[in-house]
Structures are given as structure tokens and as C-alpha cells.
Amino acid sequence: MATSSTSLKRTPGKSLTTAAIAAMKPGQLLSDGGIGTGAGRLKIRKRITKTGAVSEWLFIYWSTESGKRVTIGLKEKGCRYSTKEQEGFLTIAQARELARKLQSDVKAGLEPMKQRELDKAATQKIQSTAISKLKDSQAKTLVTLMDAYVASLQAKGKAESAYDVANMVRNHISIAFPALASAPAAEIGAVDVAKILARLVGPDAAVKKGRTALKLRSYMAAAFKLAMGAELDPMAPGAAAGFELKLNPAAAVPATKMAAHFQTAGERILSVEELRHYLIRLESLPSPVHRLALELQILSGGQRMQQMLRLTRADVTAETFTLFDPKGKRAQPRTHVLPLLPELSARIAQLKEFSPVSERNVRGYIFASTGGSIINPETLSGVVHQISKAMLAANESVIPFRGGDIRRTCETLMAGTLNISKDTRAQLLSHGISGVQDKVYDKSNHLKTKTAALRAWIDYLTTVRTGEIPATNVVSLKAA
């Protein structure tokens, strides 16, 4: 039998009142005559719950199949009646307003029940997307951002720089600030970066590490820049995408003041007498590995400690040893070949005994720690710092010095005392090499020139150590 509005006329009942609703008995259902009929009715029912009797709004409508009813409100269980407006409840006026909207939907051919299901599915999809996005953001932490930057350096063949970044992140972020390390990178602000750097250069830092702070800031800024452009860079590593960064917090931290204070051109040079005391104190270091490392550095002319610590057995031959210089904008580190004089060979042989090839030291690093990783350059910087303090306390020097001053002292004495030319020093110390001839055409490793210069330097150090005044530059240095 047809159920159209022409064959079955529905008349509106009485308008619901506060008194009528209050007088309802449990299980009772009342219709509201306050809105028109023909496309659904507004009703209210009273039922018993564990907390007592409640009155809930319903909307009854008729489809082509049968009568259907849906609850009114935002919650699946419907909204309850209240005499005053409050969250989660509907007054009579509010219920009528929602019922009229549902009537309009029915007249337009929309099924409120199906629409409720569609809305529910849409809400679930939004929630699922939000949860997935939250999980992604939790996985895209500051440490994973820095790891992506390390991976990008490794892909470019800059293994030494990658190692330096990973080492700094581990020591100065992961260990020092675990909460920031595990926080989403998108939530890291400039204040957080400043907090990380303040630990290295702030008033409470026992030992100021300005160069480390400047390098760490630079690395962090480069990592954030990489991630911000990863979405549009087809050559960017996949791990660098998806961080949804809006700004570069490391770049927002000003470096001008730090650079002015810590990155000034160094002027500290050890005197000959200070150098003698330094060499003597190296001999009495409790750690043989630390002693051999610092002796190898100074005997080789003041090589960069970070490059020297990457030395492996494969880099050492019967006559030479090779370091790799990644400084500058090079796609591949520049090979830096040095002559293996007897004094250097003896120390490298001893270092091999302390760092044998093993499961932990598969690559055969000469300077492997007990855990198999490379000795941290900052560890040796700390040793030099302790020597400087001891020399100050013993009145062997009046001005403190650091690791970088040893390299400067070596070159200064090579130039002023041994008259080694600027070009030879540049080749021996791997710096200041520029120009088309040096970069493109001159592929010679200048080994003969380096050998002569290094022989003169080692002989000179012998005379400094013994306190002799050399009559010639050729003085033998006893092997270690």
C-alpha cells in the first residue's frame, strides 16, 4: 500500500513543553508538534540508565522502504534534553532547529541514516589520517633529521664530514638533550637550538667550545635546509622528506657574536721553550694511544687531528701514508700523501698493536677505541687542554693554548726557523692549495719536497726536545 503524503495525512501533535517532558515516564515517547510534518517528526523518549532516567531526542522519517529513525546531535548515542544550553545537550528550540534541517535533507532526497554513516566514515578517515600524521611526526624527530643529513654527506663521499656530524649530534644533542633529540623536528624552535649551543659557550659552560658550537649550528642549519627543500629536489635522500618544516630554527640563531668571539684568526704560538715542555709532557701521558696520536701529529708537521684519526691500515704503505682532506666544496676528499719517515712508521706500528683488526674494527682503523669506533678528536683536544693547564701551574707557560695552536706553531717554526717555503708548507699541511695549475694540472704529490721538509722538521724537534742549539737542520730523532 502506498505511503505517500496524499494517502496518509499526518497531523502535528501538541508542541512539547518543559512541563510535558518533565512529566514523562520511563519508556514513554512523545512527538513534537512545534515543527511541520510530512518529511519526518521530532520526538523525545525517556529511558532508564545506570545513572538514572534521561530524555533523548529522536528524528523519525519515512523512506521508500520503511520508517527509520536517527538520533539528533553530534554524538552517535544522540543528545539529551536540557532546559538550558550546554555542551552535549539540546534544548527544545535547538532540537527543533536540527529536526528542520533533517526534514530539508529528506525532502531533497537525502537519507539521514546514510548521511550519518557517511559522516561517520569521513570522521574516521580524518581521525585515521591525523593519527598517521602524528605517528609520522613522532618518527620525524630532530635526530632522524640529522641522520638524514649524515646520509646525504655519505652519499656525496664526504665520509669524514658525515662522521663529524654524527659524532657531534650524539655528544651534544642525543646525550645532552634527549628530550629535544626525540622531539619532532617541526616543533624545534630557535630557542631550542640556542639552548643546545649555550651548553657549549654559555656562562655555565666549564670549558668554552666555541668552534664546536659554530660547527654544530652550521650542521643543524644545513640539515634543516636539506629537509625543507627535499620535497622538490629529486636528488635529495628520501629520508630527508616528510618533515613538514616551516622554518629553519638553526639559521634563525645569530652566529655573528659567537664567530667574532671564537672564530678570530688564531695568534697563539708556543715558544721554543714551551714546545720543549710540551714534548716532554707528551712522553709521560698515561694513555699510550693518546701519546702516540699527539706525537704523530706534531712529528708529521701538525696535521689536522680529525683527518689523521681516520687513518686505516689500507692508507699506510712501506713509504707513505695517506690522509683525506674534505675541506672546501669538494665532491670527493682530496688525497694528501705524506712520506712515512722512520719516526712516523715506528709510532704507527705501535698504534696498530693497540688497535688490531677485529669484528669491532673491521676497517682496520689505526686509532680505534675499545668499542671499535674512531677516537673522538675532542678527546685529544681535552688532553692538550690538560697539558696546557699543567704547564701553567708549573710556570712552564703563562698563556693557555689548545690543540689548534700546535698546528699553527709547527708552520710558524717551519717558516721562520727552517725557512721552508710557503708552497712546500701548503703541500705538507694540505692547505692554501688553489689556482688552476695546482688544482688541475699539477697532479704530483711533491713527495720528495715533502720528505726533505719533514726530515728537517723532525730533526729540529729533536734539538728542541733535548735543549740543544742546532748547527744544522739534519739531526737524527730516535725512533719511538
Side-chain angles (χ1 to χ4, degrees), residues 157-298:
K158 296 190 174 184
E160 189 167 336
S161 296
Y163 171 80
D164 190 33
V165 176
N167 186 59
M168 283 195 175
V169 171
R170 179 175 60 255
N171 293 328
H172 305 305
I173 299 179
S174 297
I175 296 176
F177 299 96
L180 289 178
S182 59
E187 295 179 7
I188 298 296
V191 174
D192 299 315
V193 178
K195 181 179 178 181
I196 292 171
L197 301 180
R199 174 178 168 273
L200 299 171
V201 297
D204 296 331
V207 178
K208 302 293 189 292
K209 298 180 179 179
R211 288 168 60 84
T212 299
L214 286 166
K215 288 175 69 175
L216 183 57
R217 176 196 173 276
S218 177
Y219 290 150
M220 293 181 71
F224 276 95
K225 181 179 180 180
L226 172 69
M228 291 178 74
E231 305 290 350
L232 301 178
D233 184 359
M235 297 182 67
F243 283 89
E244 298 186 358
L245 303 175
K246 304 300 182 192
L247 51 83
N248 188 329
V253 176
T256 306
K257 188 175 180 180
M258 279 196 300
H261 187 76
F262 294 105
Q263 212 174 42
T264 54
E267 297 181 355
R268 178 70 167 103
I269 299 170
L270 277 66
S271 67
V272 174
E273 188 64 18
E274 286 177 323
L275 183 58
R276 185 175 73 86
H277 286 295
Y278 177 75
L279 293 171
I280 292 172
R281 288 189 175 274
L282 286 184
E283 295 171 359
S284 60
L285 286 176
S287 168
V289 175
H290 293 169
R291 171 180 62 80
L292 291 168
L294 292 173
E295 285 182 348
L296 185 62
Q297 183 211 19
I298 196 168

Side-chain angles (χ1 to χ4, degrees), residues 19-316:
I21 295 174
M24 289 176 66
K25 296 179 180 180
Q28 188 174 0
L29 184 70
L30 294 180
S31 296
D32 178 37
I35 63 173
T37 60
R41 300 289 297 271
L42 174 63
K43 295 190 177 186
I44 190 168
R45 69 180 175 187
K46 178 173 285 190
R47 65 185 182 88
I48 299 296
T49 66
K50 293 180 180 180
T51 58
V54 295
S55 299
E56 296 175 329
W57 294 105
L58 300 173
F59 179 75
I60 310 298
Y61 70 100
W62 294 266
S63 68
T64 56
E65 299 175 359
S66 61
K68 297 182 179 179
R69 69 181 182 182
V70 293
T71 55
I72 291 182
L74 300 178
K75 297 181 179 179
E76 289 185 13
K77 293 183 179 180
C79 279
R80 297 177 180 180
Y81 161 75
S82 174
T83 57
K84 59 182 180 180
E85 295 183 5
Q86 57 180 308
E87 186 177 356
F89 292 82
L90 293 174
T91 63
I92 294 175
Q94 289 174 324
R96 286 171 177 165
E97 182 179 353
L98 287 178
R100 291 189 182 99
K101 181 181 181 306
L102 291 173
Q103 284 181 328
S104 298
D105 291 342
V106 172
K107 290 178 180 179
L110 299 177
E111 283 272 6
M113 184 72 75
K114 292 181 179 179
Q115 190 62 42
R116 176 69 58 85
E117 292 175 355
L118 291 174
D119 292 343
K120 180 180 177 181
T123 300
Q124 289 176 339
K125 183 177 180 180
I126 293 173
Q127 291 175 341
S128 177
T129 302
I131 292 173
S132 177
K133 190 174 181 180
L134 177 61
K135 289 181 178 179
D136 288 342
S137 68
Q138 291 174 338
K140 297 292 185 178
T141 64
L142 175 58
V143 165
T144 56
L145 171 68
M146 299 307 298
D147 288 344
Y149 178 56
V150 170
S152 73
L153 292 174
Q154 292 172 333
K156 295 176 182 178
K158 296 190 174 184
E160 189 167 336
S161 296
Y163 171 80
D164 190 33
V165 176
N167 186 59
M168 283 195 175
V169 171
R170 179 175 60 255
N171 293 328
H172 305 305
I173 299 179
S174 297
I175 296 176
F177 299 96
L180 289 178
S182 59
E187 295 179 7
I188 298 296
V191 174
D192 299 315
V193 178
K195 181 179 178 181
I196 292 171
L197 301 180
R199 174 178 168 273
L200 299 171
V201 297
D204 296 331
V207 178
K208 302 293 189 292
K209 298 180 179 179
R211 288 168 60 84
T212 299
L214 286 166
K215 288 175 69 175
L216 183 57
R217 176 196 173 276
S218 177
Y219 290 150
M220 293 181 71
F224 276 95
K225 181 179 180 180
L226 172 69
M228 291 178 74
E231 305 290 350
L232 301 178
D233 184 359
M235 297 182 67
F243 283 89
E244 298 186 358
L245 303 175
K246 304 300 182 192
L247 51 83
N248 188 329
V253 176
T256 306
K257 188 175 180 180
M258 279 196 300
H261 187 76
F262 294 105
Q263 212 174 42
T264 54
E267 297 181 355
R268 178 70 167 103
I269 299 170
L270 277 66
S271 67
V272 174
E273 188 64 18
E274 286 177 323
L275 183 58
R276 185 175 73 86
H277 286 295
Y278 177 75
L279 293 171
I280 292 172
R281 288 189 175 274
L282 286 184
E283 295 171 359
S284 60
L285 286 176
S287 168
V289 175
H290 293 169
R291 171 180 62 80
L292 291 168
L294 292 173
E295 285 182 348
L296 185 62
Q297 183 211 19
I298 196 168
L299 287 171
S300 61
Q303 300 302 320
R304 294 183 179 91
M305 186 61 70
Q306 190 175 40
Q307 294 175 17
M308 196 180 72
L309 291 177
R310 301 287 297 176
L311 193 65
T312 69
R313 283 166 170 74
D315 302 326
V316 182

Side-chain angles (χ1 to χ4, degrees), residues 288-289 291-293 296 311-313 316-317 321 340-357 365-367 479-480:
V289 175
R291 171 180 62 80
L292 291 168
L296 185 62
L311 193 65
T312 69
R313 283 166 170 74
V316 182
T317 69
F321 67 102
L340 188 63
L341 298 186
E343 295 80 3
L344 306 179
S345 179
R347 284 163 173 80
I348 289 178
Q350 292 183 56
L351 285 164
K352 288 180 179 179
E353 295 178 3
F354 288 111
S355 303
V357 177
Y365 287 115
I366 303 297
F367 296 95

Side-chain angles (χ1 to χ4, degrees), residues 362-384:
V362 177
R363 294 193 60 183
Y365 287 115
I366 303 297
F367 296 95
S369 65
T370 54
S373 60
I374 301 172
I375 294 175
N376 191 334
E378 291 187 5
T379 299
L380 294 178
S381 295
V383 174
V384 175

